[in-house]
Amino acid sequence: MTRDELVAVLEKKRMTEIIELIEDAEQGELEELELVESLGLLMDQELNKEVLSLLESLGVTIIYVSGDEEDEEEENDDEDEDKDNS
């Protein structure tokens, strides 16, 4: 699927945030994208694959994290805030 075909599908499905990610990548404003691998970016697996492939072709590094790591980072951020407020 070409970039234009992909954007047309995203527009039809009103996925404006994903289109914005693509545009940011094209402008060099998106270098990395962290995703929970088991969730991906989109519910539609084929569309998810196409979008991630396009982002990677635009130079975006996809970093896969587990949901557990995300929870740990949030907990660490909360602990840091607690220390700052003490």
Side-chain angles (χ1 to χ4, degrees):
M1 185 179 303
T2 68
R3 180 246 187 242
D4 292 338
E5 291 170 333
L6 183 55
V7 170
V9 170
L10 294 170
E11 285 175 348
K12 187 174 182 180
K13 294 183 179 236
R14 298 181 182 175
M15 297 183 167
T16 55
E17 291 95 2
I18 305 304
I19 295 168
E20 288 173 10
L21 279 177
I22 292 169
E23 290 170 350
D24 287 348
E26 290 171 334
Q27 296 168 9
E29 297 174 10
L30 180 64
E31 296 177 11
E32 294 180 344
L33 183 63
E34 284 190 7
L35 294 175
V36 176
E37 190 166 14
S38 60
L39 298 177
L41 187 59
L42 304 169
M43 295 289 289
D44 180 321
Q45 292 301 311
E46 185 60 34
L47 197 53
N48 184 65
K49 181 180 171 186
E50 293 286 341
V51 169
L52 293 180
S53 177
L54 176 59
L55 290 174
E56 287 178 322
S57 75
L58 293 169
V60 176
T61 302
I62 308 296
I63 301 170
Y64 291 103
V65 296
S66 73
D68 295 338
E69 289 174 4
E70 285 289 310
D71 292 340
E72 287 176 18
E73 286 181 20
E74 287 177 13
E75 288 175 12
N76 289 339
D77 289 346
D78 290 343
E79 289 174 9
D80 291 343
E81 286 177 15
D82 290 342
K83 289 178 186 174
D84 291 341
N85 292 333
S86 301

